Amino acid sequence: MAFLKPKGIIAANVLYTDPSENGFVMWFTKATCKNLFFINGLGISNGMANVPALLWIASKEKLHIYALKSDRKPSENTPLYHAPFFNVYANGNVCMGTVDVNIKNSASLEEFITAWEAYFFNSYFSHLMQNHNPIQGNCVSLWKKLRKTGDPFPKDVLKETGRTIKNILR
């Protein structure tokens, strides 16, 4: 099977595909509740918490992730926000730490997207990258509160990156 070939009709959340050998996929997910894992040193309990809508950009080896303020399908001019998670650099690149990323050369589009979302959400969040605080406020306090209350993710804490999808695709 060809790399990133869809199994059927392309899902509505897929925004862009480049199925070349060094290709990538861009997709978005709506705000949802996810099971999150944190290292003990952060003092945040593992478990369900609400996360914002996200923009994902992944190749076989790398993942970039950004937050979105809306669940609507983003356009080229949609502003991108820093993903409000630990282990993410200011440029959106995710530090995968000890996760064994193993994307097959024959991965279908659906397998590829499912694998990257699982790699991201099944890994342990551990630290802020290079003094990059991705939100307005304290990231540890935010996730402690979201874990305790089950509140929706507060979009007002998101920080703009100054980038749009159009900037990334250039």
Side-chain angles (χ1 to χ4, degrees):
M1 177 173 235
F3 182 57
L4 299 180
K5 185 176 191 299
K7 290 181 176 178
I9 294 174
I10 294 176
N13 69 324
V14 175
L15 301 172
Y16 186 89
T17 62
D18 171 359
S20 67
E21 188 178 336
N22 297 314
F24 68 97
V25 179
M26 179 185 292
W27 72 97
F28 74 100
T29 51
K30 295 180 178 185
T32 188
C33 195
K34 285 289 186 182
N35 194 24
L36 303 178
F37 302 96
F38 302 93
I39 64 163
N40 289 337
L42 290 174
I44 307 168
S45 63
N46 297 334
M48 302 303 284
N50 284 297
V51 299
L54 298 170
L55 179 78
W56 307 71
I57 305 159
S59 66
K60 275 185 221 159
E61 297 89 29
K62 277 190 180 171
L63 173 65
H64 286 75
I65 192 165
Y66 300 92
L68 301 166
K69 278 208 172 171
S70 166
D71 278 345
R72 286 192 310 268
K73 183 175 185 174
S75 72
E76 284 189 337
N77 298 315
T78 299
L80 302 179
Y81 296 82
H82 290 284
F85 303 104
F86 300 92
N87 309 10
V88 181
Y89 290 96
N91 70 358
N93 188 27
V94 178
C95 172
M96 295 306 292
T98 59
V99 175
D100 182 20
V101 175
N102 185 14
I103 302 289
K104 294 178 180 65
N105 289 333
S106 62
S108 70
L109 182 60
E110 296 83 356
E111 289 166 338
F112 183 87
I113 289 171
T114 299
W116 271 115
E117 289 183 20
Y119 286 140
F120 184 75
F121 284 119
N122 292 327
S123 65
Y124 278 78
F125 293 109
S126 58
H127 59 287
L128 296 176
M129 304 303 292
Q130 298 175 329
N131 298 319
H132 168 63
N133 181 8
I135 64 159
Q136 311 277 349
N138 183 301
C139 205
V140 171
S141 298
L142 171 70
W143 288 108
K144 279 184 178 177
K145 180 177 182 244
L146 290 172
R147 277 285 305 116
K148 186 181 283 185
T149 64
D151 289 347
F153 189 90
K155 295 176 190 158
D156 60 329
V157 304
L158 294 175
K159 287 163 75 171
E160 278 201 55
T161 63
R163 300 178 83 189
T164 63
I165 291 174
K166 191 189 307 184
N167 302 139
I168 290 170
L169 289 176
R170 283 197 180 140

